[in-house]
Amino acid sequence: MEMVLRWWKFSTNEPGTIRTKFPLLLVAGRWAAERHLEATSPQAWTRDIAAEYIADTVIAVRGQWAGHNRNRTGWGEPLSASGKAGRVDTIRSFFCDLIEWEWITPGSIPAASWLCRCRSGPVATRTPGSSTMPPGPSSWPPD
């Protein structure tokens, strides 16, 4: 939770993107707490744990590992393709940000090299209170 809150504070994503990704990062943390007590921080994720998270995302259902949400519409139904893609992209971009900001190193997290193809070029910055971000290189699709 500490690293996700730190990511929230420093993320260069649009505010709406941050609000979308934040609960998905919490889902990943809840998943890790349930499946891998040793992997409740990004530094502890291994390639195998990351692969297992991706595999579980493919078969996940709505509401699984969700927090306390009164809206239970569709709970128990399979995730949509965009829901699965959102979870995978969120965890990938989270690790990429942590590496880019040098909070972790690619060599220290075996999962990071698998999940993230690090961005190159200048780092975009967000002015506090601004909802726009200067154009910059995209990390997707890969070259």
Side-chain angles (χ1 to χ4, degrees):
M1 184 64 168
E2 180 181 322
M3 191 66 84
V4 173
L5 289 171
R6 188 175 178 201
W7 171 87
W8 172 288
K9 182 177 178 182
F10 292 101
S11 179
T12 58
N13 288 296
E14 293 284 339
T17 301
I18 294 169
R19 284 189 302 272
T20 299
K21 288 184 175 189
F22 184 77
L24 296 177
L25 291 171
L26 297 182
V27 162
R30 288 185 196 103
W31 174 87
E34 182 180 310
R35 300 288 170 98
H36 292 279
L37 290 176
E38 76 282 7
T40 55
S41 72
Q43 294 88 344
W45 279 51
T46 64
R47 180 183 293 247
D48 289 341
I49 290 170
E52 186 179 333
Y53 178 73
I54 302 302
D56 280 355
T57 294
V58 171
I59 60 171
V61 296
R62 292 180 65 183
Q64 193 173 16
W65 305 299
H68 300 287
N69 187 339
R70 292 190 302 207
N71 181 1
R72 298 195 181 264
T73 305
W75 276 42
E77 295 176 7
L79 289 178
S80 66
S82 64
K84 294 172 188 177
R87 284 190 185 183
V88 172
D89 181 62
T90 294
I91 198 72
R92 181 201 56 80
S93 67
F94 177 68
F95 275 103
C96 285
D97 285 343
L98 299 185
I99 291 168
E100 186 173 307
W101 301 335
E102 298 178 352
W103 294 355
I104 61 173
T105 59
S108 69
I109 313 286
S113 60
W114 184 65
L115 286 171
C116 176
R117 180 170 177 232
C118 292
R119 303 172 195 129
S120 61
V123 176
T125 57
R126 180 174 52 129
T127 306
S130 169
S131 64
T132 60
M133 200 170 84
S138 172
S139 63
W140 192 258
D143 297 331

